[in-house]
Amino acid sequence: MDLRPGADSCYKCTSCDTSCPVAEVDDSFPGPKFQGPEQWRLKRKEDTEIDESITGCSNCMRCDGACPSDVPLSQMHNTARGEYVDNQMDKLSREYLRNRILANYGTLAGIGSKVPRLTNAIMGNSLVQKLNEKLLGITAERDFPEFADQTFRSWWKQRGGPNVESDEKRIAYFHGDYANYNTVEVAKALVRVYEAFGYEILVPDQRCSGTPMFANGMLDDARRSAAVNVENLGDAIEQGYDVVASCTSCSMALRQEYPELFDFEGTETVAANTYDALEYLLINENVIDPLSEVDAADHDIPDFAYHAPCHSRNQGLDRQAVELFRHLDGVDVADVGDSCSGISGTYGWKEEKYEYSMEIGEEMFEHMEHAEGETGMTECPTCSMQMEHGTGYEIDHPLQVLESALVDTDVEI
Amino acid sequence: MAIESAVVVVGGGLAGATAALSAAREGAHVHLVSANESTLRQASGLIDALGYPVADAGREGDDNDGDGGNGVAADSGPLADPFAGVDDLPADHPYRLIGADALREGLSLFDDTVGDLYRGGHTDRNALVATTSGRAKPTARYPRSMAPGLVSDERPTLLVGFEAATDFDAPLAAERLSAAGVPFDVTGATIAFPGEYRADAAVTRLAHALERDEDAGDGRTTRQRLADRVRPHLDDAERVGFPAILGDSHVEEVRADLSERLGVEVFEVPTGPPSLPGIRLSDRLFEALDDAGVSMTTGTPVVDFEPEEDGAGGDRIDRVFIDRNGARIPYAAEQFVLATGGLVGKGLDSDRERATEAVFGCHVPQPDDRMEWSEGGAFADHAFARFGVRIDERGRPLAADGTPEFENLSAAGGVVGGADVAREKSASGVSLATGLVAGRTAAEEV
C-alpha cells in the first residue's frame, strides 16, 4: 500500500506524540510520529525490518485526530503492525498465541456463551486467572467479563425478530460480539429505543468488526471478518437499511479501517451508510423534545460520569451524549475529561501492559471520583470495563439511559 | 432531517471560538464544527493585535531591505499602541473594514473569557515578550506565566534551556537579546532535565513530571532537582526563564514553587508547537464554550453545503455537511460563520491557477497573473499573504460585485483577506475582532 503522500504531509509538529496516551507513560514507546511516517519511510529500504515497538501501540487512534495535516497515522500503524506480525513474529511464541486469542475473543465467546454459567464460574476462578497470566500473559488483575444467560441473537430469534415494520425507517443493527455475548442489555435497549421511534430493525449475520484484530496485527483474521460483514451489510443497505452500531469501535472499523485497509466490493458503500446509534437518532429524529418532557427524578435515573471513548472522539462523537442529556431534567452528566481510559480493547488485558493501562486511566478515575454521579456512562464496552475496574461504579450505555427516559416512561415520542 | 441549531460556526481556532462565544452571548444556540483539534494547540499562546506598521509601508513600495528576516523594516520599530496604527492600514484591511472598536471589543471578550490566565488588559500598549529565538515580540495579551519575563523589565535575567527540549537554545537566545540592546543583563544555560527520560521525550511528558512533581531519583522530586541544577547558574539574576513547559493546567503552582526554591521570579518563554500555553488557552476557551451551552463537533471537516430550496437565486445557505469517514452528516442552521483559516489552515485552497475559498466558494480577490502572487524575499510584501475573502462592516463575505455572497454567512479569522498577519503581527487580533463581529451578526439575524 503506497502511503507516501501521507508520509510526505508530515511536517514533524509532534502534535500526534503529544496526544498519544501510551507515549505519555511508556518511555520505551517512541510514539505515533515514529510508528507512522518515519517507520513507513524506513521500511521502504531493503533489509530494514519493522521496529518491534509497533506492538506497543494500543490503536486508540488519537493521533489521527491530533494531526493538523491529515497524515493517515493509524492506517500506517495498522499496516506496519500487520507486516511485523506476518513477517517477524514467531508464530509459536506465547505472545503470538496470547494476542491471537485476545484478538479472536468472539470465537471463544461463541463457545463459552453456550454454557454461560459454567464459563463464568471457570473464568471467574482466581486459580484459572493466575494460570492465564502464567501461561498466556493475560493479566490476573482483571475480572473476566461475564457472559449473559442468553445471547442477544438468541433473544432476538426467540422474540421472532422485529416488532415494527416500516418501508421508510429501517436500520440494520451491527451489535458486535460484546453486546451479543456480554452486555446484551445494551443491544436490547437499542431495539426498544429504535422501535419506539418506529424503526424496522434487521439483525444481519455478522462477525467481529475486527478492531481487536487490527490492534494485534492479525490482518488476515480481520480480513475474513470484514469480508462477511461487508457482504451482509452491503445486502442490507441495498434493501434500504442504514447500518447502525452501538459500539463506537465497531462503527470506527466499518467506517474508517475497512476502507483504509481492504478493497472488497462495497466497502465504501458500507462506510458511507454506517452510523453510531445515538448519532443516527440525533440526525433523523427529534429526540430532544420528548426527552425534555421527562423528569429523571421520577424514574430513578441517576447522575452520570461520562467518558468519551477514543474511537468516538475520533469520529467527532465525543460530545453528543453530554449535550443530549442536558435536555433531561434532573440529571447531571459530567464529562470526565479527555484522557484515554487506558484499556484500549486488548491492550490492558496484556500482563506487560496492565500497569501502563492503569496509569493512563488514572486521570479518568480521578475525574470520575470527583463527578457528582456514581454511575458511569460510555459507549465502549472495554472503556466500560476499565471504568468499572478503576472505580467500582456501575456503567451504562447512553442507549440504556434513553431507554429509561423514553421507553420506560409514558412520554410521547 | 439534520442536526439543527441557530448558528453553525465552521472552524475551531481562535476566530471560530470567538465567533461562537460572541453569538452565544447574544443568546443564540451555537454549534461549532471543527475539522481537527483546535489549531490553538499549535499556537504560542500570545495574543498579538498589531505589532508592526509594515503593511502600509510595504504597500507604498518600500522594499523592506535590512529587516533581518523578522519582517520588520529597519526604520519601523514595533508599535507601542496597536490602536494608533489602525488608521494607517490599507483601506481593505479587516481592522479598517470593521473598525478599531471591534478589535477593542474582541480583546475585551477574550479578557472576560480567559480571566486570570492572561495579562496585558490593563493598557492599550503592546508588551514585548522575549521569544525562544531571542527576539522581542510585540503582543497585546500574554499568559500570566510569561509576565515576569517582559523585555521592558530591567531585572537581570537567566534563561534556562533543557537538553531534551531542543527548540530553545537558551545561551543563543540570551546572546541575541543582548545584541538587540535589551535594558538588562541576560545569560543562558542549558541543563539536563531531572529524571530518566528519553533524549527526545515529549514536552508534555516533561510538563506533567513538573506538574505532578514526580520522583526524580535520589529521593528528590523533579522540581527539587531542577532548582538544584539551576542554582549554580543564577549569579546575579533576579528572574529565570524556562521554555513554556512548566506544567499543564497548574502552571502557576509549579512557577510559584520553583520561584520559592530559587529565590527569584520564574517565568515561561513561549515555544513552538506543540505548545503548552496554546493547549492551556484552547482548554480554557473550550471550557467557556461548554459553559455557554455551545455544542461542539471536532475531528470532522465540513466538505459541502446546500442552499435553501426556495431561496431566491440560492443566496441563503440551508445546511452544511461534514464528512464522518465517508458518511455525510447534515448540520442545518439559520446563520453560518466561516472561520476555517487561510492557506495554512486550509480554509483557502490553491492550485497552479487560482486560490479559492474551500467550503462555500466565496470570492477571493487575487491577481490574474500568478507571477504576481509573490515577490522576491521571504518576508516581502507578498500578494498571497493577503489572500482571503473580503468582508463588509458586518463581517459578511462579499462577491466580486461587492454584494454579500450569502445573506446568512459571515466570516472571521484567517479566511478573511486584506491583512498580512505574519508581517504585521496581527493574527490573533484579526481573529478576535472579526470573530466578535461575525458572531454578533449571526446572532442578530436569528
Side-chain angles (χ1 to χ4, degrees):
Chain A
M1 200 174 304
D2 185 12
L3 296 170
R4 161 132 193 218
D8 286 354
S9 299
C10 171
Y11 56 86
K12 311 264 181 225
C13 69
T14 69
S15 292
C16 55
D17 287 349
T18 308
S19 74
C20 175
V22 176
E24 172 84 31
V25 297
D26 178 357
D27 278 322
S28 69
F29 184 66
K33 176 159 61 88
F34 172 78
Q35 304 297 356
E38 290 174 4
Q39 173 129 267
W40 191 86
R41 274 191 287 270
L42 285 173
K43 74 180 179 164
R44 294 301 94 195
K45 294 203 171 179
E46 280 173 34
D47 302 331
T48 305
E49 294 206 313
I50 291 168
D51 194 83
E52 71 164 328
S53 61
I54 188 68
T55 59
C57 164
S58 72
N59 199 38
C60 74
M61 303 167 84
R62 278 193 173 231
C63 42
D64 280 353
C67 179
S69 198
D70 297 332
V71 176
L73 289 148
S74 65
Q75 184 181 15
M76 289 172 163
H77 300 156
N78 273 327
T79 51
R81 199 167 30 229
E83 273 181 55
Y84 174 81
V85 170
D86 280 352
N87 304 329
Q88 288 163 246
M89 208 171 180
D90 177 4
K91 305 295 180 298
L92 299 172
S93 67
R94 182 181 91 143
E95 192 185 358
Y96 178 82
L97 180 65
R98 188 263 321 263
N99 290 359
R100 193 93 199 261
I101 289 172
L102 287 175
N104 287 281
Y105 160 81
T107 311
L108 277 189
I111 301 163
S113 65
K114 299 232 176 356
V115 278
R117 264 164 295 186
L118 179 63
T119 315
N120 290 341
I122 293 172
M123 297 311 287
N125 180 298
S126 64
L127 185 65
V128 174
Q129 289 177 326
K130 290 218 170 63
L131 275 175
N132 272 340
E133 180 162 304
K134 279 262 177 297
L135 295 175
L136 288 169
I138 295 173
T139 181
E141 300 287 337
R142 292 184 187 279
D143 297 325
F144 204 81
E146 278 194 27
F147 288 111
D149 290 341
Q150 186 183 25
T151 67
F152 168 69
R153 294 190 72 89
S154 140
W155 174 81
W156 179 255
K157 203 171 157 193
Q158 198 178 328
R159 181 190 199 238
N163 282 354
V164 173
E165 286 181 22
S166 168
D167 287 335
E168 283 93 43
K169 296 166 93 169
R170 304 178 132 196
I171 58 145
Y173 178 31
F174 190 85
H175 47 69
D177 283 327
Y178 206 76
N180 184 40
Y181 296 121
N182 302 90
T183 51
V184 172
E185 63 280 7
V186 171
K188 289 180 185 169
L190 179 136
V191 167
R192 288 172 185 143
V193 169
Y194 268 80
E195 287 191 341
F197 278 100
Y199 283 86
E200 178 173 329
I201 299 171
L202 176 76
V203 182
D205 279 341
Q206 55 190 273
R207 294 180 56 184
C208 168
S209 69
T211 303
M213 301 163 186
F214 301 130
N216 288 287
M218 308 290 170
L219 289 190
D220 289 340
D221 292 342
R223 186 173 286 111
R224 277 190 288 274
S225 279
V228 173
N229 292 335
V230 169
E231 192 183 342
N232 292 345
L233 298 177
D235 286 350
I237 291 166
E238 224 163 84
Q239 295 165 49
Y241 292 89
D242 283 323
V243 179
V244 158
S246 50
C247 158
T248 41
S249 293
C250 291
S251 53
M252 187 82 185
L254 298 178
R255 287 168 134 175
Q256 181 174 331
E257 283 157 321
Y258 283 14
E260 281 182 352
L261 298 172
F262 309 129
D263 51 7
F264 308 115
E265 201 186 323
T267 308
E268 301 283 346
T269 311
V270 169
N273 292 283
T274 295
Y275 300 83
D276 166 73
L278 195 52
E279 173 194 21
Y280 190 79
L281 278 183
L282 291 173
I283 297 168
N284 295 294
E285 301 298 329
N286 183 352
V287 188
I288 291 171
D289 285 346
L291 201 63
S292 308
E293 301 289 312
V294 179
D295 189 341
D298 298 342
H299 304 282
D300 292 330
I301 304 175
D303 288 338
F304 292 98
Y306 172 73
H307 164 75
C310 293
H311 290 174
S312 88
R313 192 171 294 279
N314 296 344
Q315 295 180 67
L317 300 171
D318 49 314
R319 301 264 316 164
Q320 62 177 8
V322 173
E323 287 171 8
L324 174 66
F325 291 121
R326 273 179 187 161
H327 300 280
L328 180 57
D329 271 350
V331 153
D332 181 57
V333 179
D335 189 333
V336 295
D338 58 5
S339 80
C340 171
S341 78
I343 190 168
S344 259
T346 60
Y347 178 85
W349 280 93
K350 296 173 183 174
E351 182 204 356
E352 73 279 12
K353 304 292 188 200
Y354 174 77
E355 292 296 333
Y356 290 140
S357 157
M358 294 303 282
E359 215 179 310
I360 295 169
E362 189 58 39
E363 199 179 316
M364 179 189 75
F365 303 143
E366 276 171 27
H367 283 138
M368 284 180 71
E369 303 283 358
H370 286 128
E372 284 289 313
E374 299 203 337
T375 305
M377 190 205 301
T378 192
E379 287 93 339
C380 169
T382 56
C383 287
S384 165
M385 261 179 224
Q386 178 86 332
M387 292 166 83
E388 189 183 345
H389 184 62
T391 63
Y393 289 5
E394 197 174 301
I395 319 296
D396 282 348
H397 189 288
L399 285 169
Q400 292 173 281
V401 184
L402 270 191
E403 182 188 21
S404 306
L406 299 181
V407 183
D408 299 344
T409 61
D410 49 8
V411 66
E412 202 168 311
I413 290 177
Chain B
M1 289 285 285
I3 309 277
E4 288 176 1
S5 48
V7 177
V8 162
V9 174
V10 186
L14 185 59
T18 305
L21 282 170
S22 164
R25 276 191 164 194
E26 307 283 331
H29 175 232
V30 182
H31 202 124
L32 180 143
V33 186
S34 169
N36 291 93
E37 279 187 26
S38 176
T39 47
L40 281 165
R41 301 174 74 84
Q42 274 95 43
S44 69
L46 295 176
I47 299 296
D48 50 19
L50 188 61
Y52 288 95
V54 289
D56 199 35
R59 206 163 262 203
E60 283 162 10
D62 282 13
D63 60 9
N64 281 334
D65 277 348
D67 67 7
N70 65 352
V72 187
D75 58 347
S76 60
L79 277 170
D81 176 356
F83 295 99
V86 170
D87 285 347
D88 295 329
L89 293 169
D92 61 349
H93 191 286
Y95 285 164
R96 293 284 301 278
L97 295 170
I98 59 176
D101 280 350
L103 174 59
R104 205 176 288 280
E105 286 178 67
L107 284 166
S108 151
L109 174 73
F110 178 82
D111 292 340
D112 287 353
T113 308
V114 297
D116 66 354
L117 191 64
Y118 271 76
R119 291 283 185 271
H122 59 296
T123 169
D124 272 356
R125 296 175 67 85
N126 276 323
L128 290 174
V129 174
T131 70
T132 46
S133 55
R135 300 191 184 282
K137 179 179 164 154
T139 184
R141 302 287 186 272
Y142 46 92
R144 180 180 167 191
S145 65
M146 296 177 192
L150 293 191
V151 174
S152 52
D153 188 328
E154 297 187 1
R155 287 177 290 175
T157 304
L158 168 68
L159 298 179
V160 176
F162 298 117
E163 285 164 8
T166 52
D167 284 0
F168 184 32
D169 183 334
L172 181 65
E175 206 176 290
R176 281 191 174 169
L177 282 168
S178 293
V182 293
F184 51 88
D185 287 335
V186 51
T187 54
T190 303
I191 62 170
F193 192 88
E196 299 286 321
Y197 298 99
R198 277 211 317 269
D200 62 341
V203 292
T204 38
R205 180 97 168 88
L206 306 182
H208 287 167
L210 279 166
E211 183 151 301
R212 297 176 198 141
D213 207 12
E214 288 171 2
D215 179 6
D218 295 342
R220 312 271 289 160
T221 68
T222 309
R223 292 182 212 161
Q224 284 175 331
R225 293 196 65 184
L226 177 59
D228 291 346
R229 288 180 185 189
V230 171
R231 225 170 271 118
H233 298 281
L234 265 181
D235 289 328
D236 297 330
E238 290 171 31
R239 49 181 178 163
V240 176
F242 292 97
I245 60 170
L246 303 184
D248 185 351
S249 43
H250 298 101
V251 57
E252 288 309 319
E253 185 189 310
V254 177
R255 213 160 61 81
D257 188 21
L258 286 174
S259 299
E260 196 184 318
R261 288 179 191 286
L262 289 169
V264 297
E265 227 176 337
V266 162
F267 64 91
E268 289 191 312
V269 180
T271 41
S275 151
L276 268 304
I279 290 169
R280 294 173 201 142
L281 174 58
S282 166
D283 288 349
R284 178 69 67 100
L285 288 179
F286 277 80
E287 220 175 274
L289 290 166
D290 194 21
D291 290 345
V294 173
S295 302
M296 291 173 260
T297 303
T298 57
T300 44
V302 167
V303 292
D304 201 3
F305 77 103
E306 206 168 80
E308 268 182 22
E309 260 177 36
D310 301 327
D315 53 3
R316 283 185 71 86
I317 298 159
D318 183 63
R319 57 189 57 201
V320 293
F321 296 90
I322 65 165
D323 175 72
R324 189 164 276 157
N325 310 105
R328 276 160 57 101
I329 316 293
Y331 284 72
E334 291 164 52
Q335 293 286 321
F336 296 83
V337 176
L338 176 68
T340 44
L343 287 162
V344 178
K346 301 191 177 95
L348 300 179
D349 267 344
S350 70
D351 58 22
R352 303 295 297 176
E353 306 296 323
R354 300 290 298 167
T356 47
E357 186 277 295
V359 179
F360 301 105
C362 292
H363 174 61
V364 177
Q366 56 197 280
D368 287 330
D369 181 358
R370 193 177 181 281
M371 294 310 289
E372 289 172 28
W373 282 17
S374 57
E375 300 287 331
F379 288 92
D381 183 20
H382 304 299
F384 76 77
R386 296 174 200 279
F387 279 4
V389 302
R390 290 296 188 272
I391 52 173
D392 66 11
E393 75 288 350
R394 300 184 64 215
R396 291 177 300 189
L398 300 175
D401 65 3
T403 60
E405 287 269 12
F406 298 94
E407 284 173 21
N408 58 345
L409 179 69
S410 50
V415 75
V416 176
D420 185 346
V421 296
R423 296 170 82 223
E424 298 162 6
K425 304 287 178 241
S426 62
S428 305
V430 168
S431 290
L432 291 175
T434 53
L436 178 105
V437 170
R440 194 162 57 195
T441 297
E444 274 167 8
E445 306 275 332
V446 172

